[in-house]
Amino acid sequence: MNRAHMRTSAFAAVAVLAVSVLAACGSGSDAGGGTGGGDGGVQNAKVAFLMPDLASTRYELQDKPLFEARMKQLCPTCEVIYQNADSDAAKQQQQANSALAQGVKAIVIDPVDSAAAATIVKSAQAQQVPIIAYDRPIPATPADYYISFDNEKIGSLIAQSLVDHLKAENAEGGILQVNGSPTDAAAGLIKKGIHSAVDPSGFKLLAEYDTPDWQPEKAQTWVSGQITQFKDQIVGVVAANDGTGGGAIAAFKAAGVKVPPVTGNDAEVAAAQRIISGDQYNTISKPIKIVAEASANVAWEFMQGKKPAGKTTLYETPSELFVPTVVTKENIKEVLFDSGIMKAADVCSGEYAKGCEELGIK
């Protein structure tokens, strides 16, 4: 199978999964009707949506409004209690306690600290409030459900894409690996996936770094030090998300040296712009609409006293893991723009207009 066909197939698979999860969660329940009718005692119920940080722009701009919109379809009279912990695990604990005190019927949580979140799971389950782990798993104490894109697959895909590119370019040298937060279990899965592609690649792993709280500035500072140490030995950087990738790119630019191929993940607007301009090599498209709406569907089922079955199991938790798509300059038009995930008007302004025109993005 050629690469173009593989990319198209992967994108189609995501679309099919998006449809199937909505159908699966809706079948045989009020979730499919989108009206919330006939739900008896859960009218006017509350559900908590607790996100981990502000370092990634996606939570405020995408996850929150998408989750709220789907919940409104499912239960027009229900209330979403949204909180963002701003990378503070203790603050997230307080937010969870507050949500429980307000009588929420379910909690959807993307944990700041996957280990610390075990306490939140225990507190909620002691009050018979189901916990849905969102994007990041909670390994120590099983949640009631886990919804995410396959994080280990994300790591292997971005790294393999970079390795294949470097081999095609006959690059000689080594790779830097910029991982995510050491307190984030999803980051650990991404890291494992990256190693599965980098370790047997034939390229030396020069150094790697676990980025505290996924902070781009900390990634930039670390990469700056590696540029000083390794100089032109660095032929590529596997960064675990777009924020850390952006930090790595900023480090090379500040050093006044050529930016090597750098990976990313999340398909943020800034990353799309960097790919279009040639500064970033790839990112991962994992349409947040898919997981946000799926988590709303599952939360609604729990709120009605049902127990949705997982499609798989991870960390002893019933889970639904969706397949992501690698995005490079070759397929960015098809995957992000032709699909409607992004609009040219939001990406192609100013210095990016020419690059968009060359790629036929309009």
Side-chain angles (χ1 to χ4, degrees), residues 278-303:
D279 286 333
Q280 185 167 321
Y281 178 66
N282 72 21
T283 187
I284 282 282
S285 174
K286 45 181 187 181
I288 291 168
K289 183 179 175 71
I290 293 174
V291 288
E293 293 190 347
S295 66
N297 292 336
V298 170
W300 177 237
E301 293 223 350
F302 276 118
M303 290 162 73

Side-chain angles (χ1 to χ4, degrees), residues 3 159-169 203 281:
R3 290 187 184 177
Q160 193 61 55
S161 169
L162 178 76
V163 166
D164 290 345
H165 174 69
L166 294 178
K167 287 182 176 179
E169 296 292 313
F203 292 99
Y281 178 66

Side-chain angles (χ1 to χ4, degrees), residues 69-156:
R70 182 57 181 160
M71 278 307 306
K72 190 170 182 65
Q73 288 180 327
L74 297 170
C75 180
T77 61
C78 288
E79 178 186 349
V80 175
I81 297 174
Y82 170 74
Q83 296 287 340
N84 190 302
D86 196 14
S87 302
D88 185 334
K91 184 176 182 179
Q92 190 168 61
Q93 176 74 64
Q94 293 167 359
Q95 291 169 344
N97 291 343
S98 174
L100 289 169
Q102 292 178 66
V104 294
K105 296 294 185 183
I107 293 176
V108 179
I109 182 170
D110 194 336
V112 172
D113 184 319
S114 296
T119 302
I120 297 174
V121 174
K122 290 173 183 175
S123 298
Q125 291 177 342
Q127 298 183 42
Q128 297 185 317
V129 175
I131 285 268
I132 298 124
Y134 179 87
D135 200 31
R136 304 174 182 180
I138 304 173
T141 301
D144 295 278
Y145 210 91
Y146 174 48
I147 291 177
S148 179
F149 278 87
D150 187 331
N151 286 294
E152 188 171 335
K153 188 72 173 175
I154 287 170
S156 65

